[in-house]
mmCIF file of all heavy atoms in Angstrom:
data_model
loop_
_atom_site.group_PDB
_atom_site.id
_atom_site.type_symbol
_atom_site.label_atom_id
_atom_site.label_comp_id
_atom_site.label_asym_id
_atom_site.label_seq_id
_atom_site.Cartn_x
_atom_site.Cartn_y
_atom_site.Cartn_z
ATOM 1 N N GLU T 1 62.904 88.181 6.273
ATOM 2 C CA GLU T 1 62.030 88.215 5.097
ATOM 3 C C GLU T 1 60.617 87.779 5.456
ATOM 4 O O GLU T 1 59.634 88.393 5.027
ATOM 5 C CB GLU T 1 62.608 87.324 3.987
ATOM 6 C CG GLU T 1 61.721 87.189 2.770
ATOM 7 C CD GLU T 1 61.392 88.499 2.061
ATOM 8 O OE1 GLU T 1 62.122 89.497 2.227
ATOM 9 O OE2 GLU T 1 60.380 88.536 1.328
ATOM 10 N N VAL T 2 60.490 86.739 6.257
ATOM 11 C CA VAL T 2 59.164 86.270 6.678
ATOM 12 C C VAL T 2 58.491 87.331 7.546
ATOM 13 O O VAL T 2 57.291 87.595 7.394
ATOM 14 C CB VAL T 2 59.265 84.913 7.418
ATOM 15 C CG1 VAL T 2 57.959 84.554 8.083
ATOM 16 C CG2 VAL T 2 59.672 83.815 6.454
ATOM 17 N N ILE T 3 59.242 87.968 8.417
ATOM 18 C CA ILE T 3 58.686 89.034 9.264
ATOM 19 C C ILE T 3 58.188 90.187 8.396
ATOM 20 O O ILE T 3 57.114 90.744 8.641
ATOM 21 C CB ILE T 3 59.733 89.508 10.300
ATOM 22 C CG1 ILE T 3 59.964 88.398 11.333
ATOM 23 C CG2 ILE T 3 59.296 90.796 10.984
ATOM 24 C CD1 ILE T 3 61.142 88.638 12.254
ATOM 25 N N ARG T 4 58.960 90.522 7.358
ATOM 26 C CA ARG T 4 58.553 91.585 6.433
ATOM 27 C C ARG T 4 57.246 91.210 5.727
ATOM 28 O O ARG T 4 56.339 92.026 5.583
ATOM 29 C CB ARG T 4 59.658 91.849 5.393
ATOM 30 C CG ARG T 4 59.341 93.035 4.468
ATOM 31 C CD ARG T 4 60.214 93.060 3.232
ATOM 32 N NE ARG T 4 60.074 91.883 2.394
ATOM 33 C CZ ARG T 4 59.024 91.634 1.607
ATOM 34 N NH1 ARG T 4 58.003 92.454 1.563
ATOM 35 N NH2 ARG T 4 58.979 90.542 0.860
ATOM 36 N N GLN T 5 57.123 89.947 5.323
ATOM 37 C CA GLN T 5 55.902 89.492 4.650
ATOM 38 C C GLN T 5 54.698 89.563 5.584
ATOM 39 O O GLN T 5 53.599 89.938 5.170
ATOM 40 C CB GLN T 5 56.083 88.057 4.140
ATOM 41 C CG GLN T 5 57.042 87.941 2.987
ATOM 42 C CD GLN T 5 57.333 86.491 2.613
ATOM 43 O OE1 GLN T 5 56.802 85.546 3.216
ATOM 44 N NE2 GLN T 5 58.191 86.313 1.628
ATOM 45 N N ILE T 6 54.893 89.233 6.854
ATOM 46 C CA ILE T 6 53.798 89.307 7.834
ATOM 47 C C ILE T 6 53.365 90.754 8.020
ATOM 48 O O ILE T 6 52.167 91.065 8.026
ATOM 49 C CB ILE T 6 54.218 88.671 9.180
ATOM 50 C CG1 ILE T 6 54.359 87.161 9.024
ATOM 51 C CG2 ILE T 6 53.218 89.005 10.284
ATOM 52 C CD1 ILE T 6 54.987 86.461 10.219
ATOM 53 N N GLN T 7 54.336 91.653 8.171
ATOM 54 C CA GLN T 7 54.012 93.070 8.341
ATOM 55 C C GLN T 7 53.285 93.624 7.121
ATOM 56 O O GLN T 7 52.313 94.384 7.250
ATOM 57 C CB GLN T 7 55.289 93.880 8.607
ATOM 58 C CG GLN T 7 55.871 93.625 9.973
ATOM 59 C CD GLN T 7 57.228 94.285 10.167
ATOM 60 O OE1 GLN T 7 57.920 94.599 9.216
ATOM 61 N NE2 GLN T 7 57.595 94.468 11.434
ATOM 62 N N GLU T 8 53.737 93.224 5.953
ATOM 63 C CA GLU T 8 53.103 93.689 4.714
ATOM 64 C C GLU T 8 51.655 93.198 4.637
ATOM 65 O O GLU T 8 50.754 93.945 4.246
ATOM 66 C CB GLU T 8 53.907 93.155 3.524
ATOM 67 C CG GLU T 8 53.551 93.787 2.201
ATOM 68 C CD GLU T 8 54.480 93.280 1.110
ATOM 69 O OE1 GLU T 8 55.668 93.660 1.117
ATOM 70 O OE2 GLU T 8 54.000 92.501 0.253
ATOM 71 N N ALA T 9 51.429 91.954 5.015
ATOM 72 C CA ALA T 9 50.083 91.393 4.988
ATOM 73 C C ALA T 9 49.188 92.064 6.030
ATOM 74 O O ALA T 9 47.992 92.292 5.776
ATOM 75 C CB ALA T 9 50.139 89.888 5.223
ATOM 76 N N ARG T 10 49.742 92.399 7.186
ATOM 77 C CA ARG T 10 48.970 93.081 8.234
ATOM 78 C C ARG T 10 48.452 94.427 7.755
ATOM 79 O O ARG T 10 47.362 94.845 8.105
ATOM 80 C CB ARG T 10 49.863 93.317 9.457
ATOM 81 C CG ARG T 10 49.770 92.258 10.471
ATOM 82 C CD ARG T 10 50.407 92.730 11.774
ATOM 83 N NE ARG T 10 50.568 91.589 12.635
ATOM 84 C CZ ARG T 10 51.644 91.304 13.310
ATOM 85 N NH1 ARG T 10 52.689 92.096 13.272
ATOM 86 N NH2 ARG T 10 51.704 90.232 14.064
ATOM 87 N N GLU T 11 49.280 95.105 6.990
ATOM 88 C CA GLU T 11 48.918 96.446 6.508
ATOM 89 C C GLU T 11 47.759 96.419 5.525
ATOM 90 O O GLU T 11 47.162 97.453 5.242
ATOM 91 C CB GLU T 11 50.143 97.110 5.870
ATOM 92 C CG GLU T 11 51.221 97.434 6.885
ATOM 93 C CD GLU T 11 52.539 97.859 6.246
ATOM 94 O OE1 GLU T 11 52.620 97.919 4.996
ATOM 95 O OE2 GLU T 11 53.486 98.121 7.001
ATOM 96 N N LYS T 12 47.430 95.243 5.031
ATOM 97 C CA LYS T 12 46.350 95.133 4.044
ATOM 98 C C LYS T 12 44.974 95.027 4.688
ATOM 99 O O LYS T 12 43.990 94.879 3.998
ATOM 100 C CB LYS T 12 46.603 93.947 3.118
ATOM 101 C CG LYS T 12 47.822 94.190 2.245
ATOM 102 C CD LYS T 12 48.037 93.092 1.263
ATOM 103 C CE LYS T 12 49.249 93.448 0.404
ATOM 104 N NZ LYS T 12 49.620 92.417 -0.499
ATOM 105 N N GLY T 13 44.933 95.068 6.014
ATOM 106 C CA GLY T 13 43.621 95.142 6.666
ATOM 107 C C GLY T 13 43.216 93.890 7.403
ATOM 108 O O GLY T 13 44.018 93.270 8.085
ATOM 109 N N ASP T 14 41.941 93.526 7.265
ATOM 110 C CA ASP T 14 41.290 92.448 8.008
ATOM 111 C C ASP T 14 42.086 91.141 7.957
ATOM 112 O O ASP T 14 42.214 90.512 6.917
ATOM 113 C CB ASP T 14 39.883 92.229 7.434
ATOM 114 C CG ASP T 14 39.081 91.224 8.238
ATOM 115 O OD1 ASP T 14 39.528 90.846 9.331
ATOM 116 O OD2 ASP T 14 38.001 90.833 7.761
ATOM 117 N N LEU T 15 42.599 90.734 9.102
ATOM 118 C CA LEU T 15 43.443 89.540 9.158
ATOM 119 C C LEU T 15 42.644 88.246 9.083
ATOM 120 O O LEU T 15 43.171 87.209 8.708
ATOM 121 C CB LEU T 15 44.290 89.545 10.434
ATOM 122 C CG LEU T 15 45.281 90.700 10.587
ATOM 123 C CD1 LEU T 15 46.043 90.549 11.894
ATOM 124 C CD2 LEU T 15 46.239 90.768 9.421
ATOM 125 N N SER T 16 41.369 88.301 9.425
ATOM 126 C CA SER T 16 40.555 87.086 9.443
ATOM 127 C C SER T 16 40.338 86.513 8.049
ATOM 128 O O SER T 16 40.111 85.320 7.896
ATOM 129 C CB SER T 16 39.209 87.342 10.120
ATOM 130 O OG SER T 16 38.461 88.277 9.361
ATOM 131 N N GLU T 17 40.414 87.333 7.016
ATOM 132 C CA GLU T 17 40.204 86.858 5.650
ATOM 133 C C GLU T 17 41.421 87.148 4.775
ATOM 134 O O GLU T 17 41.303 87.300 3.571
ATOM 135 C CB GLU T 17 38.955 87.517 5.055
ATOM 136 C CG GLU T 17 37.682 87.130 5.767
ATOM 137 C CD GLU T 17 36.458 87.798 5.162
ATOM 138 O OE1 GLU T 17 36.529 88.280 4.030
ATOM 139 O OE2 GLU T 17 35.430 87.817 5.856
ATOM 140 N N ASN T 18 42.589 87.204 5.378
ATOM 141 C CA ASN T 18 43.801 87.584 4.660
ATOM 142 C C ASN T 18 44.666 86.338 4.436
ATOM 143 O O ASN T 18 45.387 85.894 5.322
ATOM 144 C CB ASN T 18 44.562 88.647 5.472
ATOM 145 C CG ASN T 18 45.695 89.259 4.702
ATOM 146 O OD1 ASN T 18 46.291 88.619 3.854
ATOM 147 N ND2 ASN T 18 45.999 90.509 5.014
ATOM 148 N N ALA T 19 44.588 85.786 3.227
ATOM 149 C CA ALA T 19 45.330 84.570 2.895
ATOM 150 C C ALA T 19 46.837 84.801 2.927
ATOM 151 O O ALA T 19 47.602 83.915 3.313
ATOM 152 C CB ALA T 19 44.914 84.058 1.522
ATOM 153 N N GLU T 20 47.261 85.991 2.535
ATOM 154 C CA GLU T 20 48.700 86.301 2.552
ATOM 155 C C GLU T 20 49.227 86.243 3.987
ATOM 156 O O GLU T 20 50.322 85.731 4.228
ATOM 157 C CB GLU T 20 48.964 87.697 1.981
ATOM 158 C CG GLU T 20 48.915 87.766 0.477
ATOM 159 C CD GLU T 20 49.204 89.174 -0.017
ATOM 160 O OE1 GLU T 20 50.200 89.771 0.414
ATOM 161 O OE2 GLU T 20 48.414 89.665 -0.835
ATOM 162 N N TYR T 21 48.458 86.783 4.920
ATOM 163 C CA TYR T 21 48.852 86.784 6.329
ATOM 164 C C TYR T 21 48.952 85.345 6.843
ATOM 165 O O TYR T 21 49.933 84.972 7.486
ATOM 166 C CB TYR T 21 47.860 87.586 7.159
ATOM 167 C CG TYR T 21 48.179 87.611 8.635
ATOM 168 C CD1 TYR T 21 49.186 88.429 9.136
ATOM 169 C CD2 TYR T 21 47.483 86.803 9.526
ATOM 170 C CE1 TYR T 21 49.495 88.445 10.487
ATOM 171 C CE2 TYR T 21 47.783 86.807 10.880
ATOM 172 C CZ TYR T 21 48.783 87.636 11.357
ATOM 173 O OH TYR T 21 49.090 87.645 12.696
ATOM 174 N N ASP T 22 47.936 84.535 6.534
ATOM 175 C CA ASP T 22 47.933 83.138 6.971
ATOM 176 C C ASP T 22 49.133 82.387 6.406
ATOM 177 O O ASP T 22 49.793 81.623 7.117
ATOM 178 C CB ASP T 22 46.637 82.437 6.542
ATOM 179 C CG ASP T 22 45.415 82.969 7.283
ATOM 180 O OD1 ASP T 22 45.590 83.580 8.361
ATOM 181 O OD2 ASP T 22 44.297 82.783 6.778
ATOM 182 N N ALA T 23 49.430 82.604 5.133
ATOM 183 C CA ALA T 23 50.571 81.931 4.496
ATOM 184 C C ALA T 23 51.889 82.372 5.121
ATOM 185 O O ALA T 23 52.780 81.547 5.370
ATOM 186 C CB ALA T 23 50.570 82.212 2.994
ATOM 187 N N ALA T 24 52.028 83.652 5.399
ATOM 188 C CA ALA T 24 53.255 84.171 6.004
ATOM 189 C C ALA T 24 53.427 83.634 7.423
ATOM 190 O O ALA T 24 54.543 83.284 7.830
ATOM 191 C CB ALA T 24 53.243 85.696 5.999
ATOM 192 N N LYS T 25 52.349 83.542 8.189
ATOM 193 C CA LYS T 25 52.423 83.004 9.550
ATOM 194 C C LYS T 25 52.793 81.506 9.510
ATOM 195 O O LYS T 25 53.565 81.034 10.335
ATOM 196 C CB LYS T 25 51.105 83.201 10.302
ATOM 197 C CG LYS T 25 50.822 84.632 10.709
ATOM 198 C CD LYS T 25 51.836 85.194 11.668
ATOM 199 C CE LYS T 25 51.610 84.724 13.068
ATOM 200 N NZ LYS T 25 52.566 85.314 14.041
ATOM 201 N N GLU T 26 52.237 80.792 8.550
ATOM 202 C CA GLU T 26 52.563 79.377 8.407
ATOM 203 C C GLU T 26 54.042 79.207 8.040
ATOM 204 O O GLU T 26 54.736 78.346 8.587
ATOM 205 C CB GLU T 26 51.683 78.731 7.334
ATOM 206 C CG GLU T 26 51.896 77.237 7.215
ATOM 207 C CD GLU T 26 50.960 76.586 6.217
ATOM 208 O OE1 GLU T 26 49.842 77.078 6.004
ATOM 209 O OE2 GLU T 26 51.372 75.559 5.642
ATOM 210 N N ALA T 27 54.521 80.038 7.131
ATOM 211 C CA ALA T 27 55.937 79.998 6.739
ATOM 212 C C ALA T 27 56.824 80.312 7.937
ATOM 213 O O ALA T 27 57.879 79.693 8.126
ATOM 214 C CB ALA T 27 56.203 80.977 5.602
ATOM 215 N N GLN T 28 56.393 81.257 8.765
ATOM 216 C CA GLN T 28 57.161 81.612 9.958
ATOM 217 C C GLN T 28 57.236 80.413 10.914
ATOM 218 O O GLN T 28 58.294 80.112 11.463
ATOM 219 C CB GLN T 28 56.526 82.810 10.663
ATOM 220 C CG GLN T 28 57.304 83.239 11.897
ATOM 221 C CD GLN T 28 56.607 84.355 12.662
ATOM 222 O OE1 GLN T 28 55.383 84.402 12.729
ATOM 223 N NE2 GLN T 28 57.410 85.258 13.222
ATOM 224 N N GLY T 29 56.133 79.735 11.104
ATOM 225 C CA GLY T 29 56.103 78.568 11.986
ATOM 226 C C GLY T 29 57.046 77.472 11.500
ATOM 227 O O GLY T 29 57.793 76.883 12.286
ATOM 228 N N LYS T 30 57.022 77.203 10.190
ATOM 229 C CA LYS T 30 57.901 76.175 9.626
ATOM 230 C C LYS T 30 59.367 76.581 9.765
ATOM 231 O O LYS T 30 60.223 75.748 10.075
ATOM 232 C CB LYS T 30 57.556 75.934 8.157
ATOM 233 C CG LYS T 30 56.256 75.200 7.954
ATOM 234 C CD LYS T 30 55.945 74.995 6.489
ATOM 235 C CE LYS T 30 54.617 74.278 6.307
ATOM 236 N NZ LYS T 30 54.275 74.125 4.890
ATOM 237 N N LEU T 31 59.649 77.848 9.529
ATOM 238 C CA LEU T 31 61.015 78.347 9.632
ATOM 239 C C LEU T 31 61.532 78.221 11.058
ATOM 240 O O LEU T 31 62.652 77.744 11.288
ATOM 241 C CB LEU T 31 61.081 79.811 9.164
ATOM 242 C CG LEU T 31 62.445 80.480 9.245
ATOM 243 C CD1 LEU T 31 63.406 79.844 8.262
ATOM 244 C CD2 LEU T 31 62.316 81.967 8.958
ATOM 245 N N GLU T 32 60.723 78.635 12.026
ATOM 246 C CA GLU T 32 61.144 78.563 13.422
ATOM 247 C C GLU T 32 61.349 77.109 13.868
ATOM 248 O O GLU T 32 62.270 76.815 14.633
ATOM 249 C CB GLU T 32 60.136 79.273 14.330
ATOM 250 C CG GLU T 32 60.069 80.774 14.115
ATOM 251 C CD GLU T 32 61.396 81.507 14.304
ATOM 252 O OE1 GLU T 32 62.219 81.067 15.136
ATOM 253 O OE2 GLU T 32 61.617 82.509 13.609
ATOM 254 N N THR T 33 60.508 76.195 13.361
ATOM 255 C CA THR T 33 60.667 74.777 13.677
ATOM 256 C C THR T 33 61.988 74.258 13.120
ATOM 257 O O THR T 33 62.727 73.543 13.805
ATOM 258 C CB THR T 33 59.483 73.961 13.110
ATOM 259 O OG1 THR T 33 58.273 74.419 13.720
ATOM 260 C CG2 THR T 33 59.655 72.474 13.361
ATOM 261 N N LYS T 34 62.282 74.624 11.884
ATOM 262 C CA LYS T 34 63.529 74.176 11.258
ATOM 263 C C LYS T 34 64.744 74.726 12.000
ATOM 264 O O LYS T 34 65.710 73.993 12.241
ATOM 265 C CB LYS T 34 63.578 74.611 9.789
ATOM 266 C CG LYS T 34 64.774 74.071 9.051
ATOM 267 C CD LYS T 34 64.672 74.290 7.572
ATOM 268 C CE LYS T 34 65.844 73.612 6.877
ATOM 269 N NZ LYS T 34 65.720 73.601 5.456
ATOM 270 N N ILE T 35 64.698 75.990 12.385
ATOM 271 C CA ILE T 35 65.803 76.592 13.140
ATOM 272 C C ILE T 35 65.997 75.834 14.458
ATOM 273 O O ILE T 35 67.127 75.503 14.833
ATOM 274 C CB ILE T 35 65.563 78.094 13.389
ATOM 275 C CG1 ILE T 35 65.694 78.876 12.073
ATOM 276 C CG2 ILE T 35 66.535 78.640 14.437
ATOM 277 C CD1 ILE T 35 65.249 80.330 12.162
ATOM 278 N N ALA T 36 64.912 75.550 15.143
ATOM 279 C CA ALA T 36 64.995 74.839 16.425
ATOM 280 C C ALA T 36 65.580 73.437 16.241
ATOM 281 O O ALA T 36 66.420 72.991 17.043
ATOM 282 C CB ALA T 36 63.613 74.757 17.076
ATOM 283 N N GLU T 37 65.173 72.736 15.178
ATOM 284 C CA GLU T 37 65.697 71.397 14.914
ATOM 285 C C GLU T 37 67.192 71.436 14.625
ATOM 286 O O GLU T 37 67.954 70.601 15.115
ATOM 287 C CB GLU T 37 64.953 70.753 13.737
ATOM 288 C CG GLU T 37 63.539 70.342 14.055
ATOM 289 C CD GLU T 37 62.743 69.908 12.828
ATOM 290 O OE1 GLU T 37 63.250 70.017 11.685
ATOM 291 O OE2 GLU T 37 61.606 69.456 13.007
ATOM 292 N N LEU T 38 67.611 72.399 13.814
ATOM 293 C CA LEU T 38 69.030 72.512 13.476
ATOM 294 C C LEU T 38 69.868 72.879 14.693
ATOM 295 O O LEU T 38 70.965 72.347 14.891
ATOM 296 C CB LEU T 38 69.233 73.538 12.357
ATOM 297 C CG LEU T 38 68.669 73.154 10.990
ATOM 298 C CD1 LEU T 38 68.835 74.299 10.007
ATOM 299 C CD2 LEU T 38 69.329 71.897 10.457
ATOM 300 N N LYS T 39 69.342 73.769 15.531
ATOM 301 C CA LYS T 39 70.064 74.144 16.745
ATOM 302 C C LYS T 39 70.183 72.951 17.693
ATOM 303 O O LYS T 39 71.209 72.777 18.352
ATOM 304 C CB LYS T 39 69.378 75.322 17.445
ATOM 305 C CG LYS T 39 69.673 76.649 16.785
ATOM 306 C CD LYS T 39 69.086 77.789 17.590
ATOM 307 C CE LYS T 39 69.559 79.128 17.040
ATOM 308 N NZ LYS T 39 69.083 80.246 17.836
ATOM 309 N N ALA T 40 69.143 72.133 17.762
ATOM 310 C CA ALA T 40 69.196 70.932 18.608
ATOM 311 C C ALA T 40 70.247 69.958 18.079
ATOM 312 O O ALA T 40 71.009 69.374 18.862
ATOM 313 C CB ALA T 40 67.826 70.261 18.659
#
């Protein structure tokens, strides 16, 4: 779902001013951190 949100935000154009893209990337980072912690 997070990957889908990132792809959707990318399709909207300029990534430097794309708040949706930034939010999706941040969500991805938090998700990956949580997965890594749980696996540990």
Side-chain angles (χ1 to χ4, degrees):
E1 175 60 21
V2 169
I3 290 170
R4 185 196 61 74
Q5 290 173 1
I6 291 170
Q7 289 173 339
E8 192 175 289
R10 266 194 193 134
E11 292 170 1
K12 293 184 178 175
D14 186 10
L15 298 180
S16 64
E17 295 180 18
N18 190 330
E20 282 181 50
Y21 179 77
D22 292 340
K25 288 297 281 182
E26 185 176 331
Q28 181 185 35
K30 288 179 181 177
L31 179 67
E32 293 302 328
T33 298
K34 185 169 185 171
I35 290 170
E37 288 171 355
L38 293 175
K39 282 186 172 184

